Amino acid sequence: MTKADIADPKSLDHARRMLIQAGAREVFMVSSVTGEGVEALRDCINKYFEEVR
């Protein structure tokens, strides 16, 4: 989820729970302004591409 730096924690938690309920295996809270979550998202993407090679 983007814009984690401006959303309130209750809304983020609700959205995260809904995504998991819908089948998401992982949910990343990301902010391009603060950099929050970017490294974890990048690591997950890199791991995925290493596995599919």
Side-chain angles (χ1 to χ4, degrees):
M1 295 187 301
T2 62
K3 301 188 185 209
D5 58 305
I6 60 172
D8 68 274
K10 189 174 181 178
S11 294
L12 288 173
D13 184 57
H14 176 72
R16 182 189 60 76
R17 285 185 283 123
M18 293 294 105
L19 287 166
I20 289 171
Q21 194 173 39
R25 288 187 267 164
E26 292 188 65
V27 177
F28 298 91
M29 308 292 184
V30 178
S31 168
S32 62
V33 174
T34 66
E36 174 188 354
V38 173
E39 186 173 345
L41 177 60
R42 184 180 14 207
D43 290 346
C44 182
I45 292 169
N46 287 335
K47 182 180 175 185
Y48 171 78
F49 281 110
E50 287 173 6
E51 291 174 359
V52 296
R53 285 185 193 171

